[in-house]
C-alpha cells in the first residue's frame, strides 16, 4: 500500500477544482517505469486487487494473466473513492471535516487526470497497459482517447462507449436507495458512522443484475431456511439469507457518498461527447485494444461492445460465455485470464 | 364497482383465518352466470381493468379480445389488496383500526379461495374463463389446479409454474426498499398517511426490469434536461425525470403493506408443492389452457413457460415478440389481443 500526495490543484471538467488530493495505490510485482500496468477498479472496488480478498486475484500474480514476474501492476483507488484516495469522506482542506456533499462532482476524465498525476509522480511516461472493467474499463478507454501516447495498449471488459439509458436508470436507482436510508440524512453522516442499510439494499439490487437467474437456480433454488413455509414476512428462503449476507458485507465497508459520486461520473461517461461520432472521437487512439464482453451481460451487451470495437482502429473484441452476466469479469475470471494473457504478453 | 361482503371466516393455508372479508369487483358487459370471465390482476393492479385508466383496457370491451358483447368480465381486487378488498389497510374487526402487520400472511391459494366465495355469491358455477398475467396468471393457474371443474378454460400470461429464485430475490428487494423508507416505520403508518418514497423506489426498480434497454434508448436516449452537463448530483437526464414521474405516480396510490403481502404470496407460489412433480400436480387439470410468454421477458422466459406447458394436458403456448419484456402483457396488448381473442371466442 502506498499513497501519492498531490499538492497541486486538480482542475475538473465541471470548471471547479480540487485544491489537493491523495491517491492510494497498491503495487504488485517489482516496479519498473517501463513495464507497469495501470489497473482501474469498478464502482465498489478499491486498490486491493491481488492477494487475499483482492478483487482480481485470479488475474494478477506470478504466471497469471497479469504476470507479476514480467509486469508490475499498479491499482489505484480512484479519485472520489473511499479506500484511501481523496473523496467525500476525506477531510476538506478548509476545516478538516469530511467533504461530504461539498465534494465536487467528478467525471471519468477527472479520475484519469488524477491517475496521470500519479504516472508523472512515478515516472511512468507510458503505461505498459491500462486495464479495467465497467467503470475501470471506462477509465482505460478514456486514457486511450485522451492520452494514447501514454498507454501502450488498453484492455477493457464489460464496458461500452457510453453509459446506456438503462445504466443511467440503474445508477439512479442505486442513488435513490442510498438516499432513502434514514441514516443518510443530508449526506454529512460521518460523525455518526457510515450508513449501512442503503448500501445493503444496493448490494441486493446489484445481485439481481450480475447473478443470472441460472446461477440463482443452481446456488439457491427455492430452498427453504426451515422445514416448511412458516407464513411470516421474515426471510424464509435460502436466497433471502444469501442476499442479507451480501448486503451486510457491502454495507459494512463502503461509503454511500462514494457510490453516489462514482455512479454520477458513470452517468456522464460518453466517449463521443464533443465529437460528431465515436469514430472521430477515437481516430487518434491508434493503440492495440482488447475488448471483452459476455453473452449473458445484457447491461453491456456484445452488440454494443462490437459497435465500439468497430470505431477503434486497433481493436479486437472477444465475446465470452459465462453464467455471471455483468459480474463475469469479477466472479468468473478463468476464461477471461486465458483470453487476455496473450494480449499482455505481446 | 361492486362489493361482496363475506361474513363467514376464510380459513387460510397458514392455518390462520380471516373472520370476515370484502371483495371489491368491477363488471364489464352484462352479467350472466354462464358466460362470465374472471380476470385476476397482478401485484400493483386493482379491479379497475377496463375503461379510462383501466390496466387492461386494450383487451376488454365490445369487439375486443375479451368481447363484452359476448362475455361478462369480472375483475376483483385480490384479498390483501388496497383498492377496496380486505387487506392490511382495512379495519381489523376487533378494534376498527387498520390490520397493518396484524394481517395474516396469505397465499395465491387463499386469494383464489376468496374469489371462489365471490363465484358462489354470484351464482357462477363455472367461469367461462379465468385469466391473468404474472400474479394474476398464478391465480388463474391455481384455479386450474384446484378447481378445474369451476373454470372452463384458463389463459395465463407472463407466468411460470413456480416463482423462480430470481423473482424471490426481486420481491425481497421490493420489500426491503419499502421498509427502508423512514415513513414505513413498523408498518402501522395509516394515521400518518401512506408512505410514498419506498413505493416510488419500487416503481423505479420495476422499470429496470419491464422497460427493456431498447425501449429506454428509443424513449429517452441520453437526452439531457438542460443544454449541457450541469455537474450536480440532481437529475440531469431525461430518463431520470421519467423515473421520478413514474415513482411519484406509483407512490401516490398504493399501500406498501399490500405490496409486501402480495409479493410474499408470490414467494410461496409453486404449483408442484406437495406433489412429486408439476405433471402430477396438474394431472386433473384437463381444461384448455393458453399460455403466453415473451421472448424479451427474461424474468419469466419462454423456456420455463414451455416446461409448464408440457405439464398441462390441454395447453397451448404462444411466444410473442415485444420490446417490453415482463411488462409486455400490460403495455403492449395489440399482439396479445390478436393471439388470445380466438381462445376466448371458442
Amino acid at each position: 500500500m502506498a499513497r501519492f500526495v498531490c499538492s497541486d490543484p486538480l482542475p475538473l471538467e465541471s470548471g471547479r477544482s480540487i485544491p489537493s488530493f491523495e491517491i492510494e495505490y497498491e503495487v504488485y510485482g517489482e516496479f519498473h517505469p517501463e513495464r507497469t500496468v495501470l489497473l482501474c477498479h469498478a464502482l465498489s472496488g478499491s486498490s486491493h486487487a491481488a492477494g487475499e480478498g483482492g478483487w482480481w486475484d485470479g488475474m494478477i500474480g506470478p504466471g497469471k494473466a497479469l504476470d507479476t514476474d514480467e509486469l508490475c501492476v499498479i491499482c489505484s483507488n480512484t479519485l472520489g473513492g473511499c479506500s484511501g484516495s481523496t473523496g467525500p469522506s476525506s477531510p476538506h482542506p478548509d476545516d478538516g471535516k469530511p467533504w461530504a456533499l461539498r465534494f465536487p462532482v467528478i467525471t471519468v476524465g477527472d479520475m484519469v487526470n488524477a491517475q496521470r498525476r500519479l504516472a508523472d509522480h512515478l515516472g511512468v511516461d507510458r503505461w505498459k497497459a491500462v486495464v479495467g472493467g465497467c467503470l475501470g474499463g471506462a477509465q482505460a478507454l478514456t486514457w486511450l482517447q485522451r492520452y494514447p501516447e501514454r498507454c501502450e495498449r488498453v484492455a477493457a471488459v464489460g464496458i461500452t462507449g457510453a453509459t446506456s439509458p438503462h445504466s443511467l436508470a440503474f445508477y439512479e436507482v442505486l442513488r435513490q436507495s442510498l438516499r432513502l436510508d434514514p441514516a443518510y440524512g443530508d449526506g454529512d453522516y460521518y460523525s455518526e458512522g457510515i450508513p449501512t442499510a442503503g448500501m445493503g439494499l444496493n448490494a441486493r439490487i446489484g445481485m439481481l443484475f450480475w447473478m443470472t437467474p441460472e446461477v440463482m437456480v443452481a446456488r439457491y433454488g427455492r430452498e427453504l431456511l426451515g422445514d416448511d413455509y412458516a407464513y411470516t414476512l421474515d426471510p424464509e428462503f435460502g436466497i433471502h439469507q444469501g442476499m442479507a449476507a451480501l448486503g451486510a458485507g457491502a454495507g459494512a465497508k463502503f461509503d454511500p457518498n462514494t457510490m453516489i459520486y462514482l455512479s454520477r461520473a458513470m452517468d456522464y461517461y460518453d466517449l463521443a461527447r464533443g465529437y460528431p461520432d465515436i469514430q472521430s472521437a477515437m481516430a487518434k487512439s491508434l493503440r492495440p485494444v482488447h475488448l471483452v464482453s459476455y453473452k449473458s451481460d445484457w447491461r453491456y451487451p456484445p452488440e454494443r461492445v462490437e459497435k465500439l470495437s468497430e470505431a477503434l482502429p486497433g481493436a479486437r473484441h472477444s465475446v465470452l460465455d459465462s453464467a455471471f452476466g455483468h459480474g463475469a469479469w469479477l466472479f468468473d475470471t478463468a476464461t477471461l485470464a486465458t483470453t487476455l494473457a496473450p494480449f499482455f504478453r505481446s
Side-chain angles (χ1 to χ4, degrees), chain A residues 55 81 90 128 211:
Chain A
W55 56 266
S90 305
K128 189 79 182 162
M211 195 184 285

Side-chain angles (χ1 to χ4, degrees), chain A residues 151-196:
Chain A
C151 36
E152 191 179 306
R153 49 188 58 228
V154 164
V157 186
I159 186 68
T160 50
T163 295
S164 70
H166 189 273
S167 286
L168 288 175
F170 177 72
Y171 296 134
E172 179 73 1
V173 159
L174 295 189
R175 290 188 292 264
Q176 292 275 353
S177 63
L178 296 172
R179 291 176 178 139
L180 192 58
D181 184 347
Y184 182 81
D186 61 358
D188 193 7
Y189 41 68
Y190 297 97
S191 60
E192 315 276 315
I194 304 281
T196 58

Side-chain angles (χ1 to χ4, degrees), chain A residues 214-229:
Chain A
E214 294 69 31
V215 173
M216 291 188 184
V217 167
R219 194 171 286 187
Y220 300 105
R222 287 184 49 85
E223 188 196 329
L224 293 168
L225 297 174
D227 292 335
D228 202 349
Y229 291 172

Side-chain angles (χ1 to χ4, degrees), chain A residues 26 39 59 64 90 100 104 111 120 134 144 149 158 172 192 205 223 228 232 245 271 286 296 299 309 317 319 326:
Chain A
E26 291 196 22
L39 177 62
M59 295 288 290
K64 297 186 183 175
S90 305
M111 297 175 189
D120 295 344
C134 193
L144 176 71
E149 73 287 357
E172 179 73 1
E192 315 276 315
I205 295 170
E223 188 196 329
D228 202 349
T232 68
L271 292 174
L286 304 167
S296 58
R299 288 190 57 217
S309 180
H317 175 203
V319 182
H326 188 57

Side-chain angles (χ1 to χ4, degrees), chain A residues 320-343:
Chain A
L320 303 185
D321 280 311
S322 168
F324 282 87
H326 188 57
W329 64 275
L330 278 173
F331 305 118
D332 187 9
T333 50
T335 318
L336 182 63
T338 316
T339 305
L340 284 182
F343 183 71

Side-chain angles (χ1 to χ4, degrees), chain A residues 27 35 43 57 79 89 92 105 111 131 152-153 164 198 232 238 242 306 308:
Chain A
V27 182
R35 42 190 176 100
L43 274 181
D57 190 52
L79 183 70
S89 59
H92 191 290
V105 166
M111 297 175 189
V131 187
E152 191 179 306
R153 49 188 58 228
S164 70
T232 68
E306 182 60 25
L308 170 63

Side-chain angles (χ1 to χ4, degrees), chain A residues 10-18 103-107 110 268:
Chain A
L10 183 74
L12 303 172
E13 291 189 22
S14 63
R16 294 181 65 181
S17 72
I18 294 183
F103 197 75
V105 166
I106 56 172
T107 64
D110 295 328
Y268 293 133

